[in-house]
Amino acid sequence: MLSTELSAYVHSLLDKSLSWLRGSYNGAESSFVIGATALHIAYLYKDYWPVMGGIESHVRTLAEGVVARGHRVSVVVCQPAAQSCLPHETINGVDVYRVPRHIDVASSPFSWQLASIVRQLNHDLVHLQMPWPGGDVALAWAPIPYVVTYQSDVVRQQRLLALYAPLL
């Protein structure tokens, strides 16, 4: 049954993406129908609200929309640079987990604790926002089903792209 639920979720993302590419996407979230079992979906990216940005806003919209459909949602991110946020809080029904930033490389934070918390939370599915090398590394150590949304190209860090390209 779980594979049917995951498939429905992934298909809803694909439907939304195809609608957008065709120019017929109207901004509404795609719906996905599942059985009586609620999924536990994790969104994985480097930042989340109160950090403001396009991808951060997108993840917040997705996470809150999925919660509104009756699913359990966690967002796992790094602690914002130069800010002090709670390591765990619930925002509009979304459980937000912030792990320490241990290093930043070319605007990309890495945390040694990221893979560990992703494994501990026991999600049904992880939705990674790319490019984010820290998230790629974490998923390599956390054998959990995942989907990826590729948000943007690596433009400014061309030298580092040679190292990162095999993960893309």
Side-chain angles (χ1 to χ4, degrees):
M1 181 165 61
L2 184 58
S3 63
T4 302
E5 295 160 355
L6 293 176
S7 178
Y9 177 75
V10 171
H11 279 49
S12 74
L13 293 174
L14 292 173
D15 287 344
K16 178 180 166 184
S17 298
L18 290 173
S19 296
W20 181 81
L21 289 170
R22 286 190 214 111
S24 60
Y25 178 62
N26 64 6
E29 287 299 311
S30 299
S31 61
F32 58 98
V33 178
I34 65 167
T37 304
L39 292 174
H40 184 190
I41 299 170
Y43 292 93
L44 189 58
Y45 189 56
K46 62 183 182 177
D47 291 310
Y48 190 70
W49 189 87
V51 174
M52 300 301 290
I55 297 171
E56 293 82 1
S57 296
H58 174 72
V59 171
R60 187 176 182 190
T61 299
L62 285 174
E64 291 177 5
V66 171
V67 165
R69 288 176 175 80
H71 303 285
R72 182 174 169 214
V73 174
S74 299
V75 172
V76 183
V77 297
C78 288
Q79 210 29 280
Q83 293 185 28
S84 181
C85 295
L86 295 172
H88 175 250
E89 64 181 316
T90 302
I91 303 171
N92 296 328
V94 176
D95 287 316
V96 180
Y97 296 88
R98 294 183 184 93
V99 296
R101 285 179 187 237
H102 291 108
I103 60 171
D104 274 290
V105 178
S107 303
S108 188
F110 287 84
S111 174
W112 317 136
Q113 297 174 3
L114 191 62
S116 175
I117 194 165
V118 169
R119 279 193 311 272
Q120 289 172 14
L121 293 174
N122 198 24
H123 304 97
D124 296 312
L125 177 72
V126 174
H127 185 174
L128 172 65
Q129 309 302 306
M130 285 183 71
W132 181 38
D136 297 329
V137 170
L139 285 180
W141 296 101
I144 297 170
Y146 66 92
V147 295
V148 171
T149 298
Y150 192 81
Q151 298 283 2
S152 64
D153 284 330
V154 178
V155 177
R156 292 182 298 175
Q157 300 90 357
Q158 289 298 309
R159 290 186 190 132
L160 293 174
L161 180 59
L163 296 172
Y164 185 49
L167 297 173
L168 297 177

